[in-house]
Amino acid sequence: MPTKLIVAGIGTDVGKTVVAAILTTLLQGTYWKPIECGPSDTTTIQTLLDPLTTHIHPPTYSFKAPLSPHHAAYLENQTIDIKNFNLPHTSCPLVIESVGGISVPLTHQLLSLDLFKQWSCHWILVCKHYLGSINHTLLTLHMLQAHHIGIRGLIFNGTPYPEAESVILDMSQLPCLGRLLPEPHITSQTIQHYAKQWTPQILQAL
């Protein structure tokens, strides 16, 4: 059965899209972001991956406002219905990018986690270094573990911060699967570089 992998983050703007592009490349897989709010990550992915060799599945919902999904949907007189999501059928590995953090609301009754946990997938968590990120990372991991989510490891984004990374890795007992360093520009060549660099540890984790 092809690998199904969810790229989650400790919040918004932590680097999920770039990490998803790297993982899609190294797995020679397909990409899907079920819900978009604001500038299209699917469009960004199209500029980073080769459209001739990588299939990019369209989002189920795409909203204009860069807000929480429940609010962005409300502004367009829509309600996100979890029954409308169908996991794409593919013979290749599938990389699924989540939306925001795992506790962002899709409706007044459903969180992002409620949607993504229904699929049998491996999970990788993207952590970006900033003041408070240790707390956000550990809280996210605790919630995922409470829901018996199969977390394969962490990707750290930003200038290396050994003091933060070591305590997160020690407390979570999860491996670091890669580090995304600050890049002045993200291009397809950047994606290829990290895909080659991360391949051994990602394939071992999966």
Side-chain angles (χ1 to χ4, degrees), residues 75-127:
L75 294 178
E76 297 185 27
N77 296 313
Q78 295 191 55
T79 300
I80 296 173
D81 187 342
I82 202 169
K83 296 177 183 177
N84 289 336
F85 294 89
N86 295 306
L87 201 66
H89 295 288
T90 174
S91 59
C92 301
L94 174 64
V95 176
I96 306 168
E97 182 184 347
S98 65
V99 56
I102 64 169
S103 293
V104 299
L106 304 184
T107 69
H108 282 255
Q109 291 77 37
L110 294 171
L111 300 177
S112 171
L113 180 60
D114 295 317
L115 170 64
F116 291 95
K117 74 177 183 180
Q118 68 180 335
W119 299 315
S120 180
C121 300
H122 301 310
W123 288 58
I124 288 178
L125 184 65
V126 182
C127 316

Side-chain angles (χ1 to χ4, degrees), residues 125-147:
L125 184 65
V126 182
C127 316
K128 187 172 183 178
H129 295 311
Y130 54 83
L131 185 62
S133 64
I134 297 176
N135 180 56
H136 294 163
T137 301
L138 294 178
L139 284 173
T140 299
L141 289 171
H142 179 74
M143 188 167 183
L144 289 173
Q145 290 162 348
H147 286 265

